[in-house]
Amino acid sequence: MSLVERFLKYVSFDTQSSEETGLTPSTPGQMTFAEYLKSELESLGLEEISLDENGYLFATLPANVDKELPVVGFIAHMDTSPDMSGKDVKPRTVTNYDGTDIVLCTEENIVLSPSRFPELLDHKGEDLIVTDGKTLLGADDKAGIAEIVSAVVYLQQHPEIKHGKIRIGFNPDEEIGLGAHKFDVEKFGCDWAYTMDGGEVGELEFENFNAASAKIVFKGRNVHPGYAKNKMLNSLHVANRFISLLPENETPEHTEGYEGFYHLIGMNGEVEQTTVSYIIRDHDRVRFEQRKQRMERLTAFINAEYGEGTAALELHDQYYNMREKIEPVMHVIDIAFEAMKAAGVEPHVKAIRGGTDGAQLSFKGLPCPNIFAGGLNFHGRFEFVPIQSMEKAMNVIVKIAEIVAK
């Protein structure tokens, strides 16, 4: 089975994760996919294959040299984003892309256009796998899984390429921030690893956001509107007052690079009660803590203005910037850098404006930077992946194995 055939098979599995179930994996489709992958790895003759009750699948490609070498891991996640359906994905390949609009769905006039997505033009002449405009594609992160499995097969077929012991790990629920929570780092048994979960070719990431979630519940008083003067307290208005006190330009749509933000992701309410949900992000740990403190100050301000108990804040840290864990072991970045160069890829070190399982794994004792998988426009109907990008990612994995053995 080729890399592309493998990827197309993988996206046929509906593995959309869910924040609602409280289970691991959060949806049954992820375990179905994990069991399929386990069978595939068994058929390839890999060793130390394990699939636990939470959907974490580990396997080993044994070393083909006698000398003692570091054990390196490659990791990807099986779930797709809850943001859009991943059921009945119908991919198609646009061969030798010519730089014009790609009509994904004629009936609904859904068009993947370089006028809106200029990164398409970076892939003129390449072969793009796209959606039919009704689902996401699932290259995040089934491209990563396909690349890892295909790299392992390539190493099996080319014993002249010397390598140490390689561990591969596929986990559930990355898209809901829980991919690393039940990842058994000790059982995985690696000196370091790489998540194959980045986007554009050449991306090499070892910095990510510090992340927290915030939920604020606003209590109101409902009184008949005809007799409400000086009695009613409309929690919707109070919530809007809180929102207005945050910096209006520190939102995702106004920020880039290392700029952090407050992102309003949900608001639901009536006069009596309104709940507002935020995610808080910043690469700098000091500024991250200051953002959380601002949420606490504004909650106190609302209670001072409208009465104690009007606003209640729940604040939870989600993950931290892995840079502080990677800097002491920068050789893992140097190796990835060298591998990209050897694979004909220009490395592009950038900070992730998001999170990755690698961040949490790094804080659990497994240094784990992130390497490109090649997909673009994740989490929606305009997602696509160039076949050539997947091939380059696969080659980088092979080169890492080769370089470590030297």
Side-chain angles (χ1 to χ4, degrees), residues 135-282:
T135 67
L136 49 66
L137 178 61
D140 179 15
D141 188 27
K142 288 167 183 169
I145 298 175
E147 291 152 8
I148 292 168
V149 175
S150 297
V152 165
V153 171
Y154 187 88
L155 288 168
Q156 287 177 318
Q157 293 172 345
H158 293 82
E160 72 277 8
I161 300 175
K162 301 306 177 187
H163 61 82
K165 179 178 178 178
I166 294 169
R167 288 283 273 165
I168 63 176
F170 303 137
N171 60 269
D173 292 333
E174 187 270 352
E175 296 291 359
I176 58 173
L178 299 174
H181 280 218
K182 296 182 180 179
F183 194 110
D184 190 333
V185 167
E186 186 176 349
K187 179 180 177 182
F188 195 51
C190 287
D191 292 276
W192 74 86
Y194 302 94
T195 48
M196 301 299 298
D197 191 23
E200 184 63 274
V201 167
E203 284 185 6
L204 174 58
E205 301 158 326
F206 60 96
E207 294 183 80
N208 59 280
F209 276 140
N210 296 289
S213 64
K215 182 173 81 171
I216 311 99
V217 178
F218 300 91
K219 299 286 188 181
R221 286 189 305 275
N222 199 3
V223 179
H224 187 290
Y227 309 94
K229 186 172 182 180
N230 299 326
K231 298 174 184 176
M232 178 185 284
L233 178 61
N234 190 326
S235 72
L236 289 156
H237 290 316
V238 179
N240 277 306
R241 171 89 168 116
F242 180 96
I243 292 166
S244 72
L245 294 170
L246 287 166
E248 63 179 341
N249 288 326
E250 294 183 22
T251 61
E253 60 268 38
H254 293 106
T255 54
E256 62 184 355
Y258 283 91
E259 297 170 334
F261 56 72
Y262 306 90
H263 181 26
L264 178 62
I265 60 171
M267 184 175 180
N268 182 40
E270 298 172 338
V271 173
E272 283 280 349
Q273 180 171 303
T274 297
T275 300
V276 169
S277 299
Y278 276 90
I279 60 172
I280 301 165
R281 301 289 188 263
D282 210 299

Side-chain angles (χ1 to χ4, degrees), residues 7 57 120 126 219 227 233 242 372:
F7 173 70
L57 175 61
L120 277 164
E126 298 180 9
K219 299 286 188 181
Y227 309 94
L233 178 61
F242 180 96
F372 72 92

Side-chain angles (χ1 to χ4, degrees), residues 7 10-19 25-27 29-31 33 76-89 131 135-145 171-177 197 357 378-380 383:
F7 173 70
Y10 294 170
V11 300
S12 71
F13 289 87
D14 180 11
T15 60
Q16 185 175 330
S17 50
S18 170
E19 295 188 80
S26 62
T27 50
Q30 295 183 71
M31 186 61 87
F33 183 35
H77 63 89
M78 296 179 287
D79 64 318
T80 59
S81 171
D83 291 350
M84 191 167 196
S85 173
K87 181 177 172 60
D88 298 325
V89 173
T131 75
T135 67
L136 49 66
L137 178 61
D140 179 15
D141 188 27
K142 288 167 183 169
I145 298 175
N171 60 269
D173 292 333
E174 187 270 352
E175 296 291 359
I176 58 173
D197 191 23
D357 286 334
F378 293 155
H379 297 190
E383 185 182 7

